[in-house]
């Protein structure tokens, strides 16, 4: 049995309740974190995610972390089994959870994520309960176009809750754009609030050529790709045009669906 304490990231970066959201934004951007715990001393008070930051405008940048933090949907302790916490994380529709010393001591000692658990399962060569990518693929996919302004994609992510979208050009999937890409670019906030005449388009920020997979592949292959490239979702495609030097990436393809890290983890533990 593997416990949270064996897999978690120990001694995570935290912010205090009175840290400015400007500082929190820079930490999420510069350190590529998806979520940071908010503490008073070392006591857990809440968490702030990339999604929380996307909803903060420049005009509100003088507020403190306590003003936007949320109570974590899942809190765990080091001795909990990773399969159990994995189920809790998936059911709560989140990607990671803070780890505290004990139920009676809310001192933050780590963070546990879907990526941490999945990497552990891959390393231990655990066999998934679902074998085929197609079994866990979401078919009705929210997408964007390569020439959409970033502000439109920002709003679409905010409305749907999806943190990454496939990018289409002439009905072909050519790339992926994520919440991280948008935050790192810094362009959305400028185009929405300062009134840039020529808003930044998706094509200038998206990742291309994207890593992709076909629905006939084994779930284990999807898991290994996610661990190898540290990505949270894979477009599931048909008729892919592969890059010769990087056969795991595609120049273009017909989009069939998408499979996320949470879907893959669910294939192992549900």
């Amino acid at each position: 049995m593997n416990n949270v304490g064996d897999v978690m990231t120990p001694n995570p970066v935290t912010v205090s309740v009175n840290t400015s959201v400007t500082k929190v934004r820079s930490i999420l951007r510069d350190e590529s974190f998806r979520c940071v715990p908010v503490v008073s001393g070392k006591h857990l008070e809440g968490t702030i995610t990339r999604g929380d930051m996307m909803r903060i405008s420049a005009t509100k940048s003088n507020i403190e972390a306590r003003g936007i933090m949320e109570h974590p949907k899942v809190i765990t302790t080091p001795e909990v089994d990773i399969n159990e916490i994995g189920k809790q994380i998936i059911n709560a529709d989140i990607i990671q959870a803070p780890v505290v010393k004990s139920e009676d001591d809310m001192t933050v000692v780590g963070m546990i994520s879907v990526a941490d658990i999945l990497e552990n399962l891959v390393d231990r060569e655990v066999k998934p309960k679902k074998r085929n990518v197609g079994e866990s693929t979401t078919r009705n996919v929210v997408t964007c176009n390569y020439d959409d302004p970033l502000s439109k994609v920002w709003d679409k992510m905010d409305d749907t809750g999806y943190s990454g979208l496939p990018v289409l050009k002439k009905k072909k999937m050519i790339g992926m754009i994520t919440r991280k890409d948008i935050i790192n670019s810094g362009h959305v906030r400028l185009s929405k609030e300062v009134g840039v005449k020529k808003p930044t388009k998706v094509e200038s920020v998206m990742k291309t050529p994207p890593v992709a997979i076909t629905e006939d592949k084994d779930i284990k292959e999807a898991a290994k790709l996610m661990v190898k490239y540290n990505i949270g979702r894979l477009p599931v495609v048909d008729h892919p045009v592969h890059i010769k030097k990087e056969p795991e990436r595609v120049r273009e393809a017909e989009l069939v669906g998408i499979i996320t890290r949470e879907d893959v983890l669910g294939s192992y533990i549900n």
Side-chain angles (χ1 to χ4, degrees):
M1 183 175 73
N2 283 68
N3 295 333
V4 168
D6 301 320
V7 177
M8 71 181 188
T9 299
N11 304 314
V13 173
T14 61
V15 297
S16 69
V17 290
N18 58 1
T19 301
S20 71
V21 296
T22 302
K23 177 64 174 177
V24 176
R25 180 185 285 124
S26 68
I27 291 172
L28 287 169
R29 181 186 63 241
D30 298 341
E31 304 296 336
S32 296
F33 295 146
R34 292 176 172 86
C35 173
V36 291
V38 182
V39 297
S40 177
K42 294 184 178 180
H43 184 277
L44 178 68
E45 299 289 349
T47 56
I48 297 176
T49 66
R50 288 178 186 164
D52 296 328
M53 292 309 308
M54 287 181 74
R55 291 185 283 272
I56 299 299
S57 66
T59 57
K60 295 181 179 180
S61 60
N62 61 334
I63 64 176
E64 297 178 340
R66 73 176 88 235
I68 64 168
M69 70 181 187
E70 297 183 351
H71 183 75
K73 293 181 180 179
V74 175
I75 301 173
T76 188
T77 55
E79 69 276 2
V80 175
D81 178 66
I82 61 168
N83 288 327
E84 174 57 32
I85 196 60
K87 290 177 183 179
Q88 291 183 35
I89 287 175
I90 290 173
N91 290 337
D93 194 25
I94 56 177
I95 58 174
Q96 58 191 151
V99 184
V100 297
K101 187 171 290 187
S102 70
E103 293 183 3
D104 298 321
D105 185 343
M106 295 295 285
T107 299
V108 176
V109 295
M111 291 288 287
I112 181 79
S113 70
V114 171
D116 296 327
I117 300 170
L118 190 59
E119 183 174 0
N120 178 267
L121 294 171
V122 169
D123 288 345
R124 291 191 290 127
E125 299 185 351
V126 175
K127 292 183 179 180
K129 296 177 181 179
K130 293 182 180 179
R131 305 300 296 274
N132 189 277
V133 166
E135 294 180 73
S136 298
T137 295
T138 298
R139 307 282 169 168
N140 298 319
V141 184
V142 177
T143 64
C144 63
N145 290 315
Y146 76 103
D147 57 352
D148 282 342
L150 285 185
S151 56
K152 179 179 178 180
V153 179
W154 178 355
D155 290 340
K156 187 176 287 190
M157 287 181 176
D158 198 23
D159 291 341
T160 64
Y162 296 131
S163 59
L165 304 179
V167 181
L168 304 183
K169 183 177 183 179
K170 296 180 180 179
K171 298 183 179 181
K172 296 282 190 178
M173 195 278 303
I174 62 166
M176 291 289 296
I177 186 167
T178 67
R179 185 171 283 170
K180 176 184 174 183
D181 298 329
I182 293 174
I183 289 177
N184 287 353
S185 75
H187 290 301
V188 168
R189 205 155 40 86
L190 292 173
S191 64
K192 287 175 71 71
E193 297 171 10
V194 182
V196 174
K197 292 182 180 180
K198 293 183 179 180
T200 304
K201 301 293 183 66
V202 167
E203 62 184 335
S204 67
V205 174
M206 70 180 186
K207 294 293 189 297
T208 188
V211 179
I213 197 167
T214 53
E215 58 183 326
D216 60 310
K217 298 297 185 182
D218 195 287
I219 279 287
K220 289 192 295 184
E221 185 169 339
K224 289 177 180 178
L225 286 173
M226 289 175 170
V227 170
K228 178 180 178 179
Y229 291 101
N230 190 26
I231 51 179
R233 65 206 54 78
L234 284 169
V236 181
V237 301
D238 198 6
H239 302 113
V241 178
H242 291 283
I243 305 298
K244 289 184 179 180
K245 293 183 179 180
E246 297 182 90
E248 294 164 342
R249 297 183 183 272
V250 300
R251 194 179 310 280
E252 66 174 30
E254 295 175 9
L255 183 65
V256 173
I258 200 160
I259 187 168
T260 66
R261 245 186 316 227
E262 293 77 14
D263 296 327
V264 173
L265 180 59
S267 297
Y268 277 88
I269 65 177
N270 284 341

